[in-house]
Structure formats: C-alpha cells, structure tokens
Amino acid sequence: MPDLYDGPIIDSHHHVWDLGLGRHPWLAAGASVAHRYGDYEPIKRDYLPADYLQDIAGTGVVASVYMEAEWTPGDGMTEVRTVERYREESGVPGSMVAQAWLDAPDAADRLSELAAVPAVKSVRHKPGGATSRADVEAGVRSLLSDDSWRAGYALLAEHGLHFDLQTPWWNLDEAHRLAADFPETTIVIDHAGVLASRDDETVAAWRAALERVAEAPNVVIKASGLCVAGTPWAVEANRGPIEDLVRVFGAERVMFGSNFPVDGMFIDFRGLVDGYREILSAFDADAQRAVFHDTAQRVYDPRPLTDQTS
C-alpha cells in the first residue's frame, strides 16, 4: 500500500457564520437560491469557529482560510471585521478571502480598505455569465470580459491581492484571457471549476478547459467543492477529477479545501480528509504535501492555529 499523508494540512476554503446577525440573505429562513447541490436547508444553522474546530479535531489541519459567505452585498468590511474578531478569539481563520464588488463605483476605496487588513489575502466576486456550454457558444460572456469590472480587477495588483474565481468550467477560457492580460495577479479557481456531474463527456470537456487555463502560470486551483447533488462524497467518484487536477496543474498549483460546512451535507470532515489522503497517495510525498499544505501556505499565508493571540 502507498504511504498515506500524515503531515500538516491547510484548509484553503471554509466558511463560518452566525445567522443571528441577519447578514446572510441566502441562508435566511424561507430563502432559496439556485445551488449546484440542490436543497441546502441542512446548512441553515450557525456554524461558528467552535463548530469548525470540533470538525477538524484530530485531522491534521493546522491553519485555515475563510471564504466570504455571500454576506449582505456592499457590506464586506463588516464581514471582515466580524471574521477578524473570530480570528483573534479562536485562531479561526488564519487568513481570509473578502467580498469585493469590482465593478462598483467605489471599488478603489473598498479595495484599499480591504488591503489594509493583514488577514485579507484575496477577494471574490462571482462573475455570473453563461450558465451552460450552449450559452458560451451563443456568445454569452461574464463580468470577466466587462471593461468596468476589469478596471476594478486591475487594481488588485497594486494592493497585492489575489482573486478567487468561482465560475463553471465552461467560462474558464475567459479566465485564461484575464490571467494573460493581468499577469501580476494570481487567480485562484475555486471548487475545481465547478464540476457538477461525472458523465464522461462532461469530465472530458472539463479537463480540456482546465488544460487551457493551466497554461497561464498565474492560475492555481482548489481541489474543493467536488460533491454532486444527491450523491454522497466517495473516493471512487472523486479519484479521477482530483488526479486530473494534480496532473494538469502540477501539485504546486493545487490546494485542498473542505468547503465546510456546505460539503458537510455529504460527508464528515475526517471522512473527507481521509478520502483525499487515499486519492493523493498515488503521488509522491512532495506532491501530497504541496496539495495539503504548501500551495495554500504560499498563496494565502494563513496564521497557524497555534499562533492565536487570545
């Protein structure tokens, strides 16, 4: 049997939220938005740092990265301040990806505010656009191709901020152009390019899209969010996609992310980590450490849990 990874892990993508604050419209009672996982009622509950720490206990996670959680639009600094408080009280998270609206009239000021917070390493603004391959073929484009949005994006480099991109794989050709036009900014593709099904044709097209975008050296990718609606997370369903990510990008450009508590609808944290350990055992020890730790360390530089200040 190949050796299973037993070193430190950085979780590059998770959320925490207090629904009592009333700042997450999509998680409010009675709310329902289109979600690739279908019914998400089970996650309409508080998920605080204490809950996350309980989930990761004994799994080897030494640091984590908070991902903005669709906080009330335009109120991103309040989210950052809330998460900063969690960070100082519990050590969770070690760094964060903040909400930013790059096409907003005040984008420059907001990015300056975010960049002044040491824990903020990246921003996310879901770009919308084509919702199918047919839309792309019909000429539908996302904000990644919008001049006003790109003007905001151009400001990221001067602040040393990365960009987390969550978009379906069929929009990744736009991401490739964006990466080429702004080579000083790192693009982090979230959730492996959103592979929502496992039929052979879709997987082949997804893999081809990854191969094209991986040509840009300033693009990295998260092995995260690989659940399929109505199907428990399983090693055999995810072995091929995760191996593809490593082979296409190289382990030094791939990072593990749990997407908890959302992916917790399909598997517990230990089961998820153990599944990744089994799959990644196909690669050598250096590659395993890169995916589990080193890539996220280089990109997000999260403060370790043991370095909490209170």
Side-chain angles (χ1 to χ4, degrees):
M1 288 289 292
D3 292 335
L4 298 179
Y5 180 76
D6 63 356
I9 296 171
I10 294 176
D11 181 359
S12 70
H13 193 116
H14 75 89
H15 309 286
V16 289
W17 50 57
D18 178 354
L19 300 189
L21 298 175
R23 298 292 187 177
H24 300 85
W26 69 289
L27 292 170
S32 180
V33 301
H35 196 286
R36 69 187 185 282
Y37 289 168
D39 179 16
Y40 60 90
E41 283 293 319
I43 60 171
K44 288 186 177 182
R45 56 181 176 83
D46 290 347
Y47 190 75
L48 297 170
D51 300 302
Y52 180 75
L53 288 168
Q54 182 175 352
D55 279 338
I56 67 172
T59 63
V61 172
V62 298
S64 72
V65 181
Y66 171 82
M67 172 56 66
E68 65 91 11
E70 304 287 347
W71 190 273
T72 302
D75 192 26
M77 275 307 300
T78 304
E79 180 180 24
V80 167
R81 286 192 290 267
T82 300
V83 176
E84 272 283 274
R85 187 178 74 251
Y86 295 156
R87 183 174 184 257
E88 296 310 309
E89 292 172 349
S90 69
V92 174
S95 59
M96 69 177 89
V97 180
Q99 175 196 110
W101 301 94
L102 298 180
D103 54 353
D106 62 349
D109 291 339
R110 298 291 78 76
L111 289 175
S112 293
E113 289 179 349
L114 292 172
V117 179
V120 174
K121 309 297 184 180
S122 183
V123 301
R124 183 168 75 166
H125 181 179
K126 294 179 181 178
T131 59
S132 68
R133 294 170 66 185
D135 283 350
V136 172
E137 293 166 359
V140 176
R141 296 293 177 263
S142 75
L143 288 174
L144 304 180
S145 299
D146 178 83
D147 288 342
S148 295
W149 188 92
R150 286 163 67 93
Y153 185 90
L155 301 174
L156 296 177
E158 67 184 62
H159 292 299
L161 292 170
H162 308 317
F163 179 69
D164 269 67
L165 172 62
Q166 184 165 331
T167 194
W169 55 266
W170 50 75
N171 292 322
L172 291 181
D173 284 346
E174 281 187 274
H176 190 189
R177 290 190 292 272
L178 186 71
D181 290 343
F182 299 94
E184 295 181 357
T185 298
T186 296
I187 295 175
V188 184
I189 299 175
D190 293 340
H191 299 336
V194 191
L195 178 64
S197 64
R198 295 294 187 275
D199 63 276
D200 292 344
E201 180 182 359
T202 296
V203 171
W206 166 80
R207 187 185 305 113
L210 294 187
E211 289 170 348
R212 291 191 296 272
V213 75
E215 294 171 358
N218 53 322
V219 176
V220 299
I221 196 164
K222 292 180 185 176
S224 66
L226 284 164
C227 300
V228 175
T231 305
W233 196 98
V235 165
E236 288 313 309
N238 288 291
R239 185 187 303 277
I242 292 171
E243 289 182 350
D244 282 343
L245 291 174
V246 177
R247 289 172 179 146
V248 170
F249 281 86
E252 71 281 359
R253 294 165 65 193
V254 180
M255 64 187 95
F256 163 77
S258 72
N259 196 33
F260 260 55
V262 182
D263 283 21
M265 294 191 296
F266 299 86
I267 190 169
D268 63 42
F269 203 102
R270 181 177 293 277
L272 183 70
V273 169
D274 286 347
Y276 272 83
R277 284 190 173 111
E278 180 176 343
I279 292 167
L280 291 170
S281 68
F283 300 94
D284 66 29
D286 288 343
Q288 292 179 54
R289 183 179 172 99
V291 175
F292 273 119
H293 181 274
D294 293 354
T295 304
Q297 180 63 50
R298 184 181 73 250
V299 173
Y300 291 117
D301 189 25
R303 188 175 69 186
L305 282 166
T306 53
D307 287 354
Q308 59 184 290
T309 60
S310 61

